[in-house]
């Protein structure tokens, strides 16, 4: 069976897919033959991603999603299940507050920003999976996007790193709960990756940390996509609750 035929008839929902890594996940799944639902708070960016998929001959749905809202997550899950002919095969929980968040020591971090980051990055994947759950079936997969910062404990980023630590913990709980329904739940922990958001954080993004990686080059969004395709596909059917670090060998866990 080819990888494309394994994906035939399968539907994936990628959250936060208006650009950056989410858009690359959406395009990668579309290339493999998945029908792709693209959702983001940035509805016009989501529409652009869906148009790119449609222009390349793929099948795409797009809509506005706020992962902090029970109503929005339930509405999108229902619409995507309808788009998928009654079910959601793969959920990629990628939406997060990453672009533009503050780097500050723990004494100076704004408590209100901590709450916002936790609401989107930690509670969001729970709310989205909660809403998708009735539409997931045996053979479905959830792929949560964490971060390798959890392993390094990046200084001055307590809210972001803690929120991604919560994603790894949530992955393990959801793997146990959904595993009884033959649904796998795994996380990807990307290292620093060259997206527009990353250039906003780091003036020297192209060279940042390159000398610390075994592969000695910067990571592009396309470097992360293969891990999501693998964890969502049949070759990973007996893998659950795991976190896969994809960082060109910067850190070993
Ligand atoms: N790039 C990296 O180096 C790196 C490394 C490790 C992990 N990650 C993770 O990879 C994912 C994508 O990162 P990225 O670099 O592509 O950043 P990004 O472009 O900022 O992607 C995040 C997307 O989520 C959307 N979003 C924010 N709040 C939302 C909400 N409440 N509901 C729905 N969507 C929402 C954002 O929309 P707005 O732009 O309108 O806010 C944005 O389109 C994130 O989970 C990030 O934490 C990134």
């Amino acid at each position: 069976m080819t990888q494309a035929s394994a994906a035939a008839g399968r539907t994936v929902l990628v959250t936060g897919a208006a650009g950056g890594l989410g858009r690359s996940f959406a395009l990668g799944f579309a290339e493999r033959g998945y029908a792709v639902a693209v959702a983001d708070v940035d509805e016009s960016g989501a529409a652009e991603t869906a148009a790119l998929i449609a222009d390349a001959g793929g099948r795409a749905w797009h809509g506005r999603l706020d992962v902090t809202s029970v109503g929005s997550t339930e509405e999108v899950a229902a619409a995507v299940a309808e788009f998928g002919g009654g079910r959601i095969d793969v959920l990629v929980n990628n939406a997060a507050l990453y672009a533009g968040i503050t780097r500050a020591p723990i004494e100076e971090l704004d408590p209100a920003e901590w709450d916002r980051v936790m609401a989107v990055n930690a509670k969001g994947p729970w709310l989205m999976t909660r809403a998708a759950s009735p539409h997931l079936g045996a053979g479905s997969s959830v792929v949560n996007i964490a971060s390798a910062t959890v392993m390094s404990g990046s200084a001055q980023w307590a809210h972001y790193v803690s929120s991604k630590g919560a994603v790894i913990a949530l992955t393990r709980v959801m793997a146990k709960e959904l595993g009884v329904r033959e649904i796998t739940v795994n996380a990807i922990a990307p290292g620093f990756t060259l997206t527009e958001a990353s250039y906003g954080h780091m003036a020297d993004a192209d060279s940042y940390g390159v000398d610390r990686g075994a592969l000695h080059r910067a990571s592009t969004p396309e470097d992360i996509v293969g891990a999501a395709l693998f964890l969502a596909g049949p070759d990973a059917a007996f893998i659950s609750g795991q976190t896969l670090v994809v960082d060109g060998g910067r850190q070993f866990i």
Side-chain angles (χ1 to χ4, degrees):
M1 189 165 50
T2 65
Q3 285 164 325
S5 66
R10 281 168 69 82
T11 300
V12 58
L13 165 59
V14 185
T15 71
L21 269 168
R23 176 171 286 177
S24 295
F25 289 134
L27 297 176
F29 275 94
E31 268 173 33
R32 287 290 169 90
Y34 283 80
V36 182
V38 179
D40 203 295
V41 272
D42 173 2
E43 195 174 0
S44 66
E48 275 173 31
T49 304
L52 289 172
I53 292 169
D55 289 348
R59 201 169 152 254
W61 173 98
H62 67 89
R64 186 182 186 280
L65 167 70
D66 177 358
V67 295
T68 67
S69 156
V70 171
S72 176
T73 52
E74 288 180 348
E75 214 172 276
V76 166
V80 175
E82 200 180 322
F83 167 70
R87 83 180 235 153
I88 300 172
D89 297 290
V90 181
L91 166 62
V92 181
N93 281 313
N94 168 79
L97 287 183
Y98 168 65
I101 59 170
T102 311
R103 293 200 77 141
I106 53 168
E107 296 83 0
E108 291 166 28
L109 208 53
D110 176 9
E113 185 172 315
W114 173 287
D115 289 346
R116 280 198 300 279
V117 168
M118 284 295 169
V120 178
N121 298 11
K123 190 176 177 187
W126 164 54
L127 285 184
M128 192 63 249
T129 310
R130 169 190 172 277
S133 177
H135 312 289
L136 300 172
S140 289
S141 305
V142 178
V143 180
N144 295 322
I145 307 306
S147 172
T149 55
V150 176
M151 287 77 193
S152 62
S154 309
Q156 306 202 334
W157 230 359
H159 51 356
Y160 180 75
V161 177
S162 300
S163 73
K164 292 299 184 176
V167 169
I168 292 173
L170 178 67
T171 297
R172 295 172 181 173
V173 174
M174 296 200 303
K176 286 269 170 80
E177 293 192 12
L178 297 180
V180 295
R181 290 164 48 201
E182 297 178 47
I183 298 163
T184 64
V185 186
N186 290 289
I188 297 172
F192 185 71
T193 302
L194 297 176
T195 63
E196 205 179 314
S198 293
Y199 283 106
H201 280 297
M202 214 74 73
D204 61 343
D206 288 312
S207 58
Y208 174 74
V210 164
D211 53 343
R212 281 185 276 119
L215 296 176
H216 283 266
R217 67 167 175 82
S219 162
T220 66
E222 292 69 31
D223 286 320
I224 317 297
V225 173
L229 291 169
F230 167 65
L231 291 172
D235 291 340
F238 201 57
I239 299 175
S240 202
Q242 305 302 316
T243 297
L244 183 55
V245 178
V246 185
D247 69 347
R250 285 191 199 189
Q251 41 211 337
F252 305 119
I253 56 168

